[in-house]
Amino acid sequence: MYPDPKSVSRAMYDRALASLPGGNTRTTVFMKPYPIYAARGEGCRVWDVDGNEHIDCINNFTSLIHGHAHPALVEAAKRQLALGSAFGLPTASEIDLAELLASRLPSVDQVRFANSGTEAVMMALKAARAFTGRPKIAKCEGAYHGSYDYAEVSLDPTPEAWGRNAPVSVAYAKGTPDNVLADVITIPFNNADAAVSLIREHGSELACVLVDPMPNRAGLAPADKAYLEALRRITCEVGALLIFDEVITFRLGYRGAQGLWDIDPDLTTLGKIIGGGFPVGAVAGRKEFMAVFDPRHGKPALPHGGTFSANPVTMRAGLAAMELLDAAAFARLDAIGHAVRTGIDDAFRQSGVPGGTVGLGSLLKIHFADRPIRDYRSAYLTEQEAQRQAIFSHGLLNRGVLAAGYGLMALSTPMTDADVDAIIAAASDALAEVSSSV
């Protein structure tokens, strides 16, 4: 049972405290009183260093859509490793993956690879500035887009910092320069009228509007189609680029979220699943926008390098992962996602605990609220809701299911119907524990 002061994970964490700040390299994997350390993974399961087996519903925060150690991905990586892991030269592998991505996204002619979703977003914002010659960006309140200063503005504002009439640009990290805040216009998610008004007000200075069609940190509520259509219209009106952050939502379908909503952005950022389990990021879009990276006529408007960008191990594993994601694979992911959401919603009703799930496809988030979840503010946890979520997360963990502490689940292709039933049963038992504890 977690926590166990005599566990190997506890001992590893105590050891890590000496060489890692807080014993940690990723804030996202930290948990109190100590994190669980993974030993190995196979399919949709992870075994920790204490030998406990878990159904993995985190999947490295949505990146492992085929679970762990998928034979096709292992083979692709091994084949390339035998030929070399990285070169100071381009390889055919980056062309192959770029062609596949462009073939799936009607809004994309060309692709530029990077090493993380953070870097992809950063390069997309810089590309928009380089193309338009304008300094400011607009982004949605509470939406996570990586660790770039501009992209993380107003990521987690507390209610006292929300502002009365419109969202306020608030620093996420201490030391964020004031000029960064001044160059970011924060807009509400799923409120088309308010967002359009703010974009129009600042339109002459805006390089772009950055939006995640289903922002995880802002509740994982899907965007209203009318909201995204309004952003598409207003960006065209003011001459700003529309950037879709599909680092996570590309796993929603064969053509990502933009295919589901039938809206073509100017630039798209990608990551996670396109790397086949290896570090990856990408900026993609029309030739006219991607031309800012083009070095053929001298220094480009936006120079961009990266020692491991488009490294062939990532490219080959990513290509294999994407080829496995055919129409049948997405249909299966949709089915298991629907089954888990429906099952957990039924468990909420039976337990009498307020809450339920939101999401689409293979993604879902569990909320402990009796109000509709549409944006960051409606998803914001009260103290009681936070307590319930903590009890629930620990309850899942002690019943062999790994989910993010804030309620996110990302499902994978190796999951069987039996795994789905086990996830729902664990959630039902954890909700019973919540009901009796709070």
Side-chain angles (χ1 to χ4, degrees), residues 191-201 230-231 234:
N191 184 334
D193 290 343
V196 165
S197 178
L198 285 165
I199 293 167
R200 184 173 285 127
E201 178 184 349
L231 295 186
I234 190 62

Side-chain angles (χ1 to χ4, degrees), residues 164-388:
R164 292 184 178 181
N165 299 319
V168 177
S169 290
V170 180
Y172 176 63
K174 287 188 176 181
T176 301
D178 290 341
N179 67 295
V180 168
L181 301 179
D183 279 341
V184 178
I185 308 304
T186 305
I187 61 175
F189 183 71
N190 266 345
N191 184 334
D193 290 343
V196 165
S197 178
L198 285 165
I199 293 167
R200 184 173 285 127
E201 178 184 349
H202 298 276
S204 63
E205 298 177 289
L206 281 180
C208 62
V209 175
L210 173 65
V211 63
D212 181 334
M214 199 167 79
N216 169 32
R217 297 282 188 95
L220 204 73
D224 295 336
K225 184 173 173 61
Y227 177 76
L228 296 179
E229 289 174 338
L231 295 186
R232 178 67 285 181
R233 286 193 301 270
I234 190 62
T235 49
C236 289
E237 177 186 318
V238 302
L241 303 192
L242 179 61
I243 302 174
F244 270 21
D245 180 348
E246 293 230 40
V247 171
I248 289 177
T249 59
F250 196 45
R251 66 156 39 228
L252 291 181
Y254 192 80
R255 291 183 171 82
Q258 58 196 264
L260 295 181
W261 274 270
D262 193 25
I263 295 173
D264 287 349
D266 298 310
L267 292 173
T268 299
T269 61
L270 301 168
K272 297 191 184 289
I273 68 166
I274 71 165
F278 291 87
V280 72
V283 186
R286 298 280 187 213
K287 285 183 180 180
E288 62 182 299
F289 308 123
M290 297 298 290
V292 297
F293 296 106
D294 190 338
R296 287 179 294 176
H297 305 294
K299 179 183 175 181
L302 178 54
H304 168 240
T307 303
F308 289 98
S309 292
N311 79 83
V313 177
T314 295
M315 298 293 99
R316 288 301 176 200
L319 182 66
M322 294 307 300
E323 288 174 339
L324 288 169
L325 287 172
D326 56 13
F330 278 112
R332 173 62 183 160
L333 287 167
D334 287 348
I336 63 175
H338 176 74
V340 172
R341 285 190 296 274
T342 301
I344 294 177
D345 285 343
D346 288 343
F348 266 99
R349 285 191 289 272
Q350 292 169 12
S351 71
V353 176
T357 65
V358 297
L360 290 172
S362 56
L363 293 172
L364 65 136
K365 194 165 188 176
I366 298 159
H367 291 272
F368 286 84
D370 57 2
R371 58 189 175 273
I373 304 299
R374 287 184 45 78
D375 56 15
Y376 173 73
R377 297 188 184 190
S378 58
Y380 195 85
L381 296 173
T382 66
E383 184 177 345
Q384 184 182 56
E385 289 163 1
Q387 290 174 349
R388 288 174 173 172

